[in-house]
Amino acid sequence: MATAILVDGAFFLRRFRHSLPDHDRHDPKSVAHGLGMLAYWHLVQRIGPTTVSEQLSQQLPLAESRQFYRLFFYDCPPLTKRMHAPLSRKSVDFSKTSDARFRLQLHQEIQKLRKVALRLGRLNDTSRWRLSENATARLIKDPASFHPTDQDFEIDTKQKGVDMRLGLDVASLAFKGQVDQIVIVAADADFVPAAKLARREGIDVILDRMGDHRAAQDLIQHVDAIRDCFLPKPNPLDP
């Protein structure tokens, strides 16, 4: 049997710098490589370093291992529409922002990886502006002197369909008996039903919080183990 790794893309990117500090979180190629390293790390935990060493000595890539079924990456396309800034009313083309370009390039790089499936949801059509956390804190601290500018606002978007796609994949993997272990890289309680379903079907469910100890308690309660991936920077003094 094999391991499937299911990654909540938004969570992975948010925790990327913590778990993979040796990778450049602003470079789509580096982030995609880090995703592959996360899969490698979890597979080593399952089959052991000795088996991995033997496999590499035979020039067999881990992606070809029967112990590795597939990695699923769940994300949404970036916001690419035009909107008007909340105060100045200047036109803003989100398709030209660095965040949009990064996300689109990242999806392209992920699709090049062996044994990786990209699952895309969609963004809610009702995107709108909201005060940033920093601006909100300033407003609460001193309302009289608060004079907002466009830079005090951020776009509020909601992902749709990500947890549904993950749940459908878990159901398919479980009912078809394609894997006996699932690693969920997430921290949101939305994924509790998927974890519970997999466990009811006899699958070993591992939660990777990527070191985020604020993960939902409901999710922690419905997995078989917690295994936080952390790949520290190599020590240049090591032989």
Side-chain angles (χ1 to χ4, degrees):
M1 298 297 287
T3 294
I5 301 174
L6 286 65
V7 180
D8 176 0
F11 172 76
F12 173 78
L13 293 175
R14 190 165 64 248
R15 297 295 301 173
F16 185 84
R17 181 170 58 179
H18 171 82
S19 289
L20 297 129
D22 195 38
H23 288 68
D24 183 357
R25 64 190 177 100
H26 301 293
D27 179 1
K29 289 186 178 180
S30 181
V31 174
H33 181 266
L35 182 64
M37 291 301 297
L38 178 140
Y40 178 98
W41 185 85
H42 278 290
L43 199 58
V44 168
Q45 308 308 309
R46 170 164 187 157
I47 66 179
T50 302
T51 305
V52 172
S53 299
E54 293 173 353
Q55 194 167 6
L56 292 177
S57 67
Q58 299 172 20
Q59 297 184 338
L60 297 175
L62 281 177
E64 304 301 329
S65 169
R66 293 182 180 179
Q67 299 283 353
F68 181 33
Y69 178 74
R70 188 165 289 133
L71 184 147
F72 298 85
F73 190 84
Y74 302 88
D75 201 12
C76 281
L79 185 67
T80 56
K81 68 180 182 180
R82 288 179 178 270
M83 295 180 65
H84 289 92
L87 299 180
S88 68
R89 309 307 296 168
K90 291 181 179 179
S91 178
V92 180
D93 185 354
F94 283 96
S95 68
K96 295 181 179 179
T97 63
S98 58
D99 288 343
R101 291 196 299 267
F102 169 82
R103 208 67 157 229
L104 291 172
Q105 292 173 15
L106 174 61
H107 292 166
Q108 292 176 357
E109 293 299 327
I110 287 175
Q111 288 177 311
K112 297 176 184 178
L113 298 176
R114 178 79 172 101
K115 281 196 173 185
V116 173
L118 178 63
R119 297 280 199 262
L120 294 179
R122 64 179 180 83
L123 294 179
N124 197 330
D125 294 332
T126 58
S127 300
R128 54 191 175 188
W129 296 100
R130 68 180 178 191
L131 277 176
S132 66
E133 289 186 12
N134 180 270
T136 301
R138 285 163 38 218
L139 172 62
I140 294 173
K141 183 177 180 180
D142 190 359
S145 64
F146 180 70
H147 302 289
T149 66
D150 286 340
Q151 285 66 42
D152 290 319
F153 291 83
E154 60 188 10
I155 197 69
D156 182 14
T157 58
K158 297 289 191 299
Q159 292 186 350
K160 306 290 285 185
V162 172
D163 54 342
M164 179 191 70
R165 283 168 173 77
L166 187 145
L168 288 173
D169 283 334
V170 169
S172 176
L173 293 169
F175 295 147
K176 292 181 180 179
Q178 294 171 314
V179 301
D180 63 346
Q181 184 181 82
I182 289 177
V183 178
I184 299 178
V185 183
D188 199 314
D190 288 346
F191 302 114
V192 168
K196 292 173 69 174
L197 184 150
R199 293 183 78 200
R200 285 197 299 267
E201 295 302 313
I203 293 176
D204 180 36
V205 179
I206 308 295
L207 175 65
D208 182 353
R209 307 168 300 177
M210 297 181 73
D212 187 353
H213 297 285
R214 298 167 298 176
Q217 286 300 312
D218 286 355
L219 185 57
I220 293 174
Q221 292 170 4
H222 292 289
V223 298
D224 295 299
I226 295 174
R227 184 197 296 153
D228 291 338
C229 177
F230 179 69
L231 298 173
K233 289 186 178 182
N235 188 338
L237 299 179
D238 288 344

